Amino acid sequence: MPIVRNMSRAVRRLLQSPGCGCGIPVIPARCIGVSPRQVASDASFHSVSFSNSDHPRVLITGGLGQLGVGLAKLLRKRFGKNNVILSDIRKPADNVFYSGPFIYADILDYKNLREIVVNNRITWLFHYSALLSAVGEANVPLARAVNITGLHNVLDIAAEHNLRLFVPSTIGAFGPTSPRNPTPDLCIQRPRTIYGVSKVHAELMGEYYHYRYGLDFRCLRYPGIISADSQPGGGTTDYAVQIFHDAIKTGKFQCYLKPDSRLPMMYIDDCLKATLEVMEAPADALSMRTYNISAMSFAPEELVQEVQKHVPELQVTYKVDEIRQAIADSWPMNFDDRNARRDWGWKHDYDLPELVTTMFSFLGSDSRIAQVN
Protein backbone atom coordinates (compact mmCIF):
# COMPACT_ATOMS: atom_id res chain seq x y z
CA MET A 1 0.00 0.00 0.00
CA PRO A 2 1.26 3.51 -0.79
CA ILE A 3 0.89 5.13 2.61
CA VAL A 4 1.20 3.08 5.80
CA ARG A 5 2.36 4.32 9.17
CA ASN A 6 3.15 2.50 12.42
CA MET A 7 0.15 0.26 12.98
CA SER A 8 -1.48 -0.97 16.13
CA ARG A 9 -2.54 -4.62 16.42
CA ALA A 10 -6.15 -3.63 15.68
CA VAL A 11 -5.15 -1.78 12.52
CA ARG A 12 -3.07 -4.74 11.31
CA ARG A 13 -6.15 -6.96 11.73
CA LEU A 14 -8.18 -4.53 9.64
CA LEU A 15 -5.53 -4.51 6.94
CA GLN A 16 -5.74 -8.29 6.77
CA SER A 17 -9.53 -8.23 6.37
CA PRO A 18 -11.18 -7.92 2.92
CA GLY A 19 -13.01 -4.66 3.69
CA CYS A 20 -11.61 -1.13 3.48
CA GLY A 21 -12.04 -0.49 7.22
CA CYS A 22 -12.66 3.26 6.64
CA GLY A 23 -10.68 4.04 9.76
CA ILE A 24 -7.40 2.63 8.51
CA PRO A 25 -4.65 5.24 8.31
CA VAL A 26 -3.95 4.60 4.62
CA ILE A 27 -5.54 5.78 1.39
CA PRO A 28 -8.48 3.32 1.47
CA ALA A 29 -8.79 1.77 -1.98
CA ARG A 30 -12.42 0.59 -1.89
CA CYS A 31 -13.64 3.95 -0.66
CA ILE A 32 -12.28 5.70 -3.75
CA GLY A 33 -13.06 2.94 -6.20
CA VAL A 34 -9.53 1.94 -7.26
CA SER A 35 -6.90 -0.48 -6.10
CA PRO A 36 -4.02 0.62 -3.88
CA ARG A 37 -1.61 0.01 -6.77
CA GLN A 38 -3.68 2.33 -8.97
CA VAL A 39 -3.54 5.01 -6.31
CA ALA A 40 0.23 4.72 -6.16
CA SER A 41 0.84 4.75 -9.90
CA ASP A 42 -2.05 6.76 -11.37
CA ALA A 43 -2.91 9.33 -8.69
CA SER A 44 -3.52 12.71 -10.28
CA PHE A 45 -5.34 14.85 -7.75
CA HIS A 46 -6.09 18.44 -8.64
CA SER A 47 -7.55 21.13 -6.42
CA VAL A 48 -10.96 22.48 -7.37
CA SER A 49 -11.37 25.95 -8.89
CA PHE A 50 -14.12 27.97 -7.29
CA SER A 51 -16.37 30.59 -8.84
CA ASN A 52 -18.17 33.24 -6.80
CA SER A 53 -21.24 31.00 -6.65
CA ASP A 54 -19.33 27.87 -5.69
CA HIS A 55 -17.23 28.65 -2.62
CA PRO A 56 -14.86 26.20 -0.99
CA ARG A 57 -16.00 24.25 2.05
CA VAL A 58 -13.39 24.94 4.72
CA LEU A 59 -12.26 23.08 7.84
CA ILE A 60 -9.79 24.66 10.29
CA THR A 61 -8.13 22.30 12.77
CA GLY A 62 -6.68 23.63 16.02
CA GLY A 63 -8.92 26.61 15.44
CA LEU A 64 -8.92 28.08 18.95
CA GLY A 65 -5.28 29.15 18.79
CA GLN A 66 -3.93 32.59 17.99
CA LEU A 67 -4.65 32.42 14.27
CA GLY A 68 -7.63 30.09 13.85
CA VAL A 69 -10.40 32.37 15.09
CA GLY A 70 -9.12 35.32 13.08
CA LEU A 71 -8.77 33.17 9.97
CA ALA A 72 -12.31 31.85 10.37
CA LYS A 73 -13.64 35.41 10.58
CA LEU A 74 -11.77 36.41 7.41
CA LEU A 75 -12.84 33.33 5.46
CA ARG A 76 -16.48 33.59 6.55
CA LYS A 77 -16.58 37.16 5.34
CA ARG A 78 -15.29 36.01 1.96
CA PHE A 79 -16.99 32.64 1.50
CA GLY A 80 -20.04 32.79 3.78
CA LYS A 81 -20.44 31.87 7.44
CA ASN A 82 -21.71 28.33 6.91
CA ASN A 83 -18.89 27.39 4.53
CA VAL A 84 -16.19 27.67 7.20
CA ILE A 85 -16.06 25.15 10.07
CA LEU A 86 -13.85 25.87 13.06
CA SER A 87 -12.70 22.86 15.08
CA ASP A 88 -10.64 22.03 18.16
CA ILE A 89 -10.58 19.63 21.12
CA ARG A 90 -11.28 22.47 23.57
CA LYS A 91 -14.57 24.14 24.40
CA PRO A 92 -14.91 27.49 22.61
CA ALA A 93 -15.93 30.75 24.22
CA ASP A 94 -19.53 31.81 23.62
CA ASN A 95 -18.61 34.51 21.11
CA VAL A 96 -16.63 31.99 19.05
CA PHE A 97 -19.28 29.26 19.29
CA TYR A 98 -22.09 31.51 18.11
CA SER A 99 -20.10 33.23 15.36
CA GLY A 100 -20.29 30.24 13.01
CA PRO A 101 -20.07 26.44 12.74
CA PHE A 102 -17.88 24.79 15.36
CA ILE A 103 -17.25 21.06 15.89
CA TYR A 104 -15.02 18.83 17.99
CA ALA A 105 -12.18 17.36 15.92
CA ASP A 106 -9.23 15.36 17.23
CA ILE A 107 -6.55 15.05 14.54
CA LEU A 108 -5.25 11.89 16.22
CA ASP A 109 -8.64 10.22 15.61
CA TYR A 110 -8.28 9.31 11.94
CA LYS A 111 -11.77 7.92 11.50
CA ASN A 112 -13.51 10.88 13.12
CA LEU A 113 -11.50 13.39 11.11
CA ARG A 114 -12.27 11.51 7.91
CA GLU A 115 -15.98 11.47 8.72
CA ILE A 116 -15.92 15.24 9.28
CA VAL A 117 -14.36 15.80 5.86
CA VAL A 118 -16.84 13.49 4.13
CA ASN A 119 -19.99 14.58 5.96
CA ASN A 120 -19.28 18.27 5.48
CA ARG A 121 -17.97 17.98 1.90
CA ILE A 122 -14.74 19.75 2.87
CA THR A 123 -12.58 21.02 -0.01
CA TRP A 124 -10.05 23.24 1.82
CA LEU A 125 -8.31 22.28 5.05
CA PHE A 126 -6.21 24.63 7.21
CA HIS A 127 -4.20 22.52 9.64
CA TYR A 128 -3.26 24.62 12.69
CA SER A 129 -3.24 21.86 15.31
CA ALA A 130 0.22 21.71 16.89
CA LEU A 131 2.09 21.91 20.17
CA LEU A 132 4.28 25.01 20.11
CA SER A 133 7.94 25.17 21.08
CA ALA A 134 7.87 25.62 24.86
CA VAL A 135 5.06 23.11 25.45
CA GLY A 136 6.61 20.68 22.99
CA GLU A 137 9.97 20.69 24.75
CA ALA A 138 8.21 19.93 28.04
CA ASN A 139 6.39 16.93 26.53
CA VAL A 140 8.24 15.58 23.50
CA PRO A 141 6.16 12.37 23.11
CA LEU A 142 2.93 14.36 22.98
CA ALA A 143 4.45 16.89 20.57
CA ARG A 144 5.62 14.04 18.35
CA ALA A 145 2.13 12.55 18.34
CA VAL A 146 0.26 15.78 17.65
CA ASN A 147 2.74 17.47 15.32
CA ILE A 148 3.84 14.43 13.32
CA THR A 149 1.27 11.62 13.63
CA GLY A 150 -1.56 14.15 13.43
CA LEU A 151 0.02 15.64 10.32
CA HIS A 152 0.19 12.19 8.71
CA ASN A 153 -3.55 11.73 9.31
CA VAL A 154 -4.28 15.07 7.70
CA LEU A 155 -2.04 14.38 4.71
CA ASP A 156 -3.66 11.00 4.03
CA ILE A 157 -7.18 12.37 4.28
CA ALA A 158 -6.35 15.40 2.15
CA ALA A 159 -4.82 13.22 -0.57
CA GLU A 160 -7.71 10.75 -0.53
CA HIS A 161 -10.40 13.43 -0.73
CA ASN A 162 -8.71 15.82 -3.14
CA LEU A 163 -8.39 18.69 -0.66
CA ARG A 164 -6.39 21.87 -0.95
CA LEU A 165 -4.28 21.70 2.21
CA PHE A 166 -2.55 24.52 4.09
CA VAL A 167 -0.07 23.75 6.86
CA PRO A 168 1.80 26.67 8.47
CA SER A 169 5.50 26.49 9.09
CA THR A 170 7.56 28.86 11.20
CA ILE A 171 10.67 30.87 11.80
CA GLY A 172 11.54 28.00 14.18
CA ALA A 173 12.09 25.64 11.24
CA PHE A 174 15.60 27.05 10.92
CA GLY A 175 18.59 26.46 13.18
CA PRO A 176 21.97 27.90 14.13
CA THR A 177 23.62 26.67 10.90
CA SER A 178 21.02 28.38 8.66
CA PRO A 179 21.93 31.69 7.00
CA ARG A 180 20.35 34.40 9.14
CA ASN A 181 20.50 37.69 7.27
CA PRO A 182 18.70 37.12 5.02
CA THR A 183 17.28 33.59 5.24
CA PRO A 184 16.23 32.30 1.80
CA ASP A 185 13.43 29.86 1.03
CA LEU A 186 15.89 27.04 0.33
CA CYS A 187 18.83 26.61 2.69
CA ILE A 188 20.16 24.46 5.52
CA GLN A 189 17.51 23.72 8.16
CA ARG A 190 18.66 22.10 11.40
CA PRO A 191 16.26 23.22 14.15
CA ARG A 192 16.90 22.16 17.74
CA THR A 193 13.34 21.94 19.09
CA ILE A 194 10.76 19.21 18.46
CA TYR A 195 8.44 21.96 17.21
CA GLY A 196 10.98 23.09 14.62
CA VAL A 197 11.83 19.53 13.61
CA SER A 198 8.14 18.71 13.15
CA LYS A 199 7.67 21.78 10.95
CA VAL A 200 10.57 20.82 8.68
CA HIS A 201 9.01 17.35 8.54
CA ALA A 202 5.68 18.92 7.52
CA GLU A 203 7.30 20.97 4.77
CA LEU A 204 9.06 17.93 3.31
CA MET A 205 6.10 15.54 3.65
CA GLY A 206 3.76 18.07 2.05
CA GLU A 207 6.13 18.52 -0.88
CA TYR A 208 6.52 14.75 -1.17
CA TYR A 209 2.74 14.20 -1.24
CA HIS A 210 2.45 16.91 -3.88
CA TYR A 211 4.93 15.23 -6.22
CA ARG A 212 3.98 11.63 -5.33
CA TYR A 213 0.18 11.90 -5.15
CA GLY A 214 -0.65 15.29 -6.66
CA LEU A 215 -1.80 16.77 -3.35
CA ASP A 216 -2.36 20.52 -3.55
CA PHE A 217 -0.21 21.33 -0.51
CA ARG A 218 0.61 24.94 0.39
CA CYS A 219 2.74 26.23 3.25
CA LEU A 220 4.00 29.56 4.57
CA ARG A 221 6.81 30.09 7.04
CA TYR A 222 5.41 32.60 9.51
CA PRO A 223 7.67 35.08 11.29
CA GLY A 224 6.83 36.23 14.84
CA ILE A 225 3.11 37.10 14.80
CA ILE A 226 1.90 40.10 16.82
CA SER A 227 -1.75 40.39 17.81
CA ALA A 228 -3.75 42.49 20.27
CA ASP A 229 -6.26 39.65 20.66
CA SER A 230 -3.93 37.21 22.39
CA GLN A 231 -1.99 37.38 25.62
CA PRO A 232 1.79 36.78 25.52
CA GLY A 233 2.58 33.20 26.42
CA GLY A 234 6.29 33.26 27.17
CA GLY A 235 7.49 32.53 23.65
CA THR A 236 10.69 33.94 22.20
CA THR A 237 8.94 36.67 20.19
CA ASP A 238 6.25 37.41 22.78
CA TYR A 239 8.19 40.38 24.17
CA ALA A 240 6.83 42.27 21.16
CA VAL A 241 3.31 41.83 22.55
CA GLN A 242 4.15 42.14 26.26
CA ILE A 243 5.64 45.61 25.82
CA PHE A 244 2.25 47.03 24.81
CA HIS A 245 0.43 45.55 27.80
CA ASP A 246 3.11 46.76 30.22
CA ALA A 247 3.30 50.22 28.67
CA ILE A 248 -0.42 50.69 29.21
CA LYS A 249 -0.75 49.06 32.64
CA THR A 250 2.44 50.03 34.49
CA GLY A 251 4.63 52.17 32.27
CA LYS A 252 7.52 49.75 32.92
CA PHE A 253 8.80 46.95 30.72
CA GLN A 254 11.57 44.38 31.27
CA CYS A 255 12.81 42.70 28.09
CA TYR A 256 14.25 39.17 28.18
CA LEU A 257 16.19 39.57 24.90
CA LYS A 258 19.22 41.72 24.19
CA PRO A 259 18.45 45.19 22.78
CA ASP A 260 19.90 44.30 19.36
CA SER A 261 18.27 40.86 18.90
CA ARG A 262 16.72 41.33 15.47
CA LEU A 263 13.92 38.99 14.37
CA PRO A 264 11.35 39.03 11.54
CA MET A 265 7.86 40.03 12.70
CA MET A 266 4.39 40.49 11.26
CA TYR A 267 1.06 41.92 12.36
CA ILE A 268 -1.66 39.28 12.44
CA ASP A 269 -3.80 40.91 9.73
CA ASP A 270 -0.93 40.61 7.27
CA CYS A 271 -0.43 36.99 8.30
CA LEU A 272 -4.07 36.10 7.68
CA LYS A 273 -4.11 38.00 4.39
CA ALA A 274 -1.03 36.12 3.16
CA THR A 275 -2.60 32.80 4.14
CA LEU A 276 -5.75 33.47 2.13
CA GLU A 277 -3.79 34.84 -0.83
CA VAL A 278 -1.53 31.82 -1.17
CA MET A 279 -4.55 29.51 -0.95
CA GLU A 280 -6.34 31.43 -3.70
CA ALA A 281 -3.28 31.65 -5.95
CA PRO A 282 -3.48 29.64 -9.19
CA ALA A 283 -1.60 26.38 -8.83
CA ASP A 284 0.49 27.06 -11.92
CA ALA A 285 1.73 30.34 -10.39
CA LEU A 286 3.44 28.54 -7.50
CA SER A 287 7.07 27.66 -8.14
CA MET A 288 7.39 25.97 -4.73
CA ARG A 289 5.20 24.52 -2.00
CA THR A 290 6.69 26.38 1.00
CA TYR A 291 7.36 30.12 1.03
CA ASN A 292 8.91 32.57 3.45
CA ILE A 293 6.75 35.62 4.10
CA SER A 294 7.91 38.78 5.81
CA ALA A 295 6.68 42.24 6.66
CA MET A 296 9.25 43.86 8.97
CA SER A 297 12.30 43.01 11.00
CA PHE A 298 13.24 44.80 14.20
CA ALA A 299 15.18 44.51 17.44
CA PRO A 300 13.76 45.27 20.92
CA GLU A 301 15.51 48.65 21.05
CA GLU A 302 13.81 49.72 17.81
CA LEU A 303 10.40 48.65 19.06
CA VAL A 304 10.99 50.51 22.33
CA GLN A 305 11.78 53.72 20.46
CA GLU A 306 8.57 53.46 18.47
CA VAL A 307 6.45 52.63 21.54
CA GLN A 308 7.92 55.61 23.42
CA LYS A 309 6.53 57.90 20.74
CA HIS A 310 3.11 56.97 22.16
CA VAL A 311 4.10 56.49 25.82
CA PRO A 312 7.17 58.72 26.37
CA GLU A 313 7.50 57.89 30.08
CA LEU A 314 7.86 54.13 29.42
CA GLN A 315 10.80 52.79 31.46
CA VAL A 316 12.65 49.86 29.87
CA THR A 317 15.21 47.50 31.40
CA TYR A 318 16.86 44.37 30.01
CA LYS A 319 17.26 41.07 31.87
CA VAL A 320 18.36 38.45 29.37
CA ASP A 321 16.79 34.99 29.53
CA GLU A 322 19.63 32.76 28.32
CA ILE A 323 17.31 30.05 26.96
CA ARG A 324 15.14 32.38 24.88
CA GLN A 325 18.20 34.40 23.85
CA ALA A 326 19.85 31.23 22.54
CA ILE A 327 16.71 30.43 20.53
CA ALA A 328 16.58 33.96 19.12
CA ASP A 329 20.26 33.77 18.19
CA SER A 330 19.58 30.61 16.15
CA TRP A 331 16.62 32.08 14.24
CA PRO A 332 16.61 34.23 11.09
CA MET A 333 17.16 37.97 11.45
CA ASN A 334 15.44 38.67 8.13
CA PHE A 335 13.29 36.52 5.87
CA ASP A 336 13.96 36.68 2.13
CA ASP A 337 10.43 36.48 0.70
CA ARG A 338 11.13 37.55 -2.88
CA ASN A 339 9.64 34.34 -4.28
CA ALA A 340 6.29 34.96 -2.59
CA ARG A 341 6.23 38.55 -3.86
CA ARG A 342 7.08 37.41 -7.38
CA ASP A 343 4.92 34.27 -7.67
CA TRP A 344 1.63 35.34 -6.11
CA GLY A 345 1.99 39.04 -5.46
CA TRP A 346 2.54 39.05 -1.70
CA LYS A 347 2.71 42.56 -0.26
CA HIS A 348 2.47 43.49 3.42
CA ASP A 349 0.42 46.41 4.76
CA TYR A 350 1.93 46.96 8.22
CA ASP A 351 5.39 48.36 8.92
CA LEU A 352 6.65 49.07 12.44
CA PRO A 353 4.96 52.49 12.92
CA GLU A 354 1.60 51.17 11.67
CA LEU A 355 1.96 48.10 13.88
CA VAL A 356 2.54 50.14 17.03
CA THR A 357 -0.29 52.57 16.32
CA THR A 358 -2.69 49.69 15.61
CA MET A 359 -1.73 47.78 18.76
CA PHE A 360 -2.31 50.78 20.99
CA SER A 361 -5.62 51.46 19.27
CA PHE A 362 -6.89 47.94 19.94
CA LEU A 363 -5.56 47.75 23.48
CA GLY A 364 -7.29 51.00 24.45
CA SER A 365 -4.39 53.19 25.48
CA ASP A 366 -6.04 56.45 24.44
CA SER A 367 -6.73 57.61 28.00
CA ARG A 368 -3.13 56.99 29.17
CA ILE A 369 -1.64 58.70 26.12
CA ALA A 370 -3.94 61.68 26.64
CA GLN A 371 -2.77 61.99 30.26
CA VAL A 372 0.88 61.88 29.17
CA ASN A 373 0.36 64.51 26.54
Side-chain angles (χ1 to χ4, degrees), residues 162-300:
N162 192 18
L163 307 186
R164 182 173 296 184
L165 174 63
F166 178 84
V167 178
S169 189
T170 170
I171 181 178
F174 299 97
T177 56
S178 303
R180 299 186 62 216
N181 190 20
T183 303
D185 285 305
L186 300 176
C187 66
I188 295 172
Q189 293 177 257
R190 290 292 186 272
R192 292 181 176 176
T193 66
I194 185 61
Y195 176 61
V197 168
S198 70
K199 285 302 183 183
V200 175
H201 179 79
E203 295 176 13
L204 294 176
M205 286 296 290
E207 186 170 337
Y208 172 76
Y209 269 58
H210 171 69
Y211 289 108
R212 183 69 174 83
Y213 302 108
L215 174 65
D216 192 348
F217 172 86
R218 305 179 183 208
C219 177
L220 296 178
R221 293 192 188 106
Y222 291 155
I225 304 301
I226 301 173
S227 169
D229 294 330
S230 61
Q231 292 292 322
T236 303
T237 61
D238 279 352
Y239 83 88
V241 176
Q242 186 68 54
I243 188 173
F244 294 99
H245 292 274
D246 290 354
I248 293 169
K249 293 177 181 178
T250 68
K252 297 179 180 180
F253 171 64
Q254 184 176 85
C255 185
Y256 50 75
L257 294 182
K258 296 177 182 178
D260 60 350
S261 298
R262 179 175 298 276
L263 293 169
M265 299 284 190
M266 178 177 286
Y267 184 57
I268 190 170
D269 285 9
D270 273 342
C271 177
L272 298 177
K273 183 182 79 163
T275 302
L276 176 57
E277 286 180 355
V278 76
M279 283 294 277
E280 290 190 312
D284 57 7
L286 304 179
S287 63
M288 55 188 63
R289 291 289 122 185
T290 298
Y291 290 89
N292 292 341
I293 53 166
S294 186
M296 67 194 89
S297 180
F298 57 78

Side-chain angles (χ1 to χ4, degrees), residues 11-316:
V11 171
R12 286 197 295 270
R13 285 200 299 268
L14 285 171
L15 285 171
Q16 294 166 358
S17 69
C20 86
C22 292
I24 300 173
V26 298
I27 295 183
R30 285 184 56 188
C31 293
I32 57 177
V34 295
S35 72
R37 293 184 182 274
Q38 285 176 307
V39 172
S41 60
D42 301 332
S44 181
F45 301 112
H46 300 283
S47 59
V48 181
S49 298
F50 299 98
S51 66
N52 290 333
S53 60
D54 186 19
H55 292 313
R57 294 277 296 171
V58 179
L59 174 67
I60 303 172
T61 67
L64 296 183
Q66 180 186 21
L67 296 172
V69 174
L71 181 65
K73 183 178 180 180
L74 177 65
L75 296 178
R76 285 166 179 166
K77 184 177 180 180
R78 182 158 181 81
F79 300 131
K81 182 173 75 172
N82 292 328
N83 285 322
V84 179
I85 300 173
L86 200 61
S87 74
D88 210 305
I89 60 173
R90 296 179 291 146
K91 184 169 67 174
D94 287 348
N95 65 308
V96 174
F97 183 78
Y98 291 110
S99 64
F102 180 90
I103 58 175
Y104 173 92
D106 181 356
I107 61 166
L108 296 179
D109 187 338
Y110 182 90
K111 182 178 180 181
N112 174 251
L113 188 60
R114 192 163 172 265
E115 287 174 348
I116 290 170
V117 168
V118 171
N119 291 343
N120 293 282
R121 300 180 298 114
I122 298 301
T123 54
W124 284 15
L125 198 159
F126 293 82
H127 178 54
Y128 280 105
S129 296
L131 264 66
L132 302 183
S133 54
V135 179
E137 290 305 295
N139 193 338
V140 172
L142 181 60
R144 188 174 62 234
V146 173
N147 295 8
I148 296 179
T149 304
L151 169 77
H152 291 179
N153 288 341
V154 168
L155 285 169
D156 288 355
I157 292 168
E160 175 191 347
H161 295 286
N162 192 18
L163 307 186
R164 182 173 296 184
L165 174 63
F166 178 84
V167 178
S169 189
T170 170
I171 181 178
F174 299 97
T177 56
S178 303
R180 299 186 62 216
N181 190 20
T183 303
D185 285 305
L186 300 176
C187 66
I188 295 172
Q189 293 177 257
R190 290 292 186 272
R192 292 181 176 176
T193 66
I194 185 61
Y195 176 61
V197 168
S198 70
K199 285 302 183 183
V200 175
H201 179 79
E203 295 176 13
L204 294 176
M205 286 296 290
E207 186 170 337
Y208 172 76
Y209 269 58
H210 171 69
Y211 289 108
R212 183 69 174 83
Y213 302 108
L215 174 65
D216 192 348
F217 172 86
R218 305 179 183 208
C219 177
L220 296 178
R221 293 192 188 106
Y222 291 155
I225 304 301
I226 301 173
S227 169
D229 294 330
S230 61
Q231 292 292 322
T236 303
T237 61
D238 279 352
Y239 83 88
V241 176
Q242 186 68 54
I243 188 173
F244 294 99
H245 292 274
D246 290 354
I248 293 169
K249 293 177 181 178
T250 68
K252 297 179 180 180
F253 171 64
Q254 184 176 85
C255 185
Y256 50 75
L257 294 182
K258 296 177 182 178
D260 60 350
S261 298
R262 179 175 298 276
L263 293 169
M265 299 284 190
M266 178 177 286
Y267 184 57
I268 190 170
D269 285 9
D270 273 342
C271 177
L272 298 177
K273 183 182 79 163
T275 302
L276 176 57
E277 286 180 355
V278 76
M279 283 294 277
E280 290 190 312
D284 57 7
L286 304 179
S287 63
M288 55 188 63
R289 291 289 122 185
T290 298
Y291 290 89
N292 292 341
I293 53 166
S294 186
M296 67 194 89
S297 180
F298 57 78
E301 59 188 0
E302 295 170 305
L303 178 59
V304 167
Q305 291 172 8
E306 197 65 39
V307 169
Q308 286 176 333
K309 293 178 182 179
H310 296 259
V311 186
E313 86 284 15
L314 175 65
Q315 300 176 25
V316 178

Side-chain angles (χ1 to χ4, degrees), residues 318-330:
Y318 292 88
K319 184 178 180 181
V320 175
D321 179 330
E322 297 300 333
I323 294 177
R324 283 183 284 194
Q325 185 65 54
I327 293 174
D329 290 341
S330 72

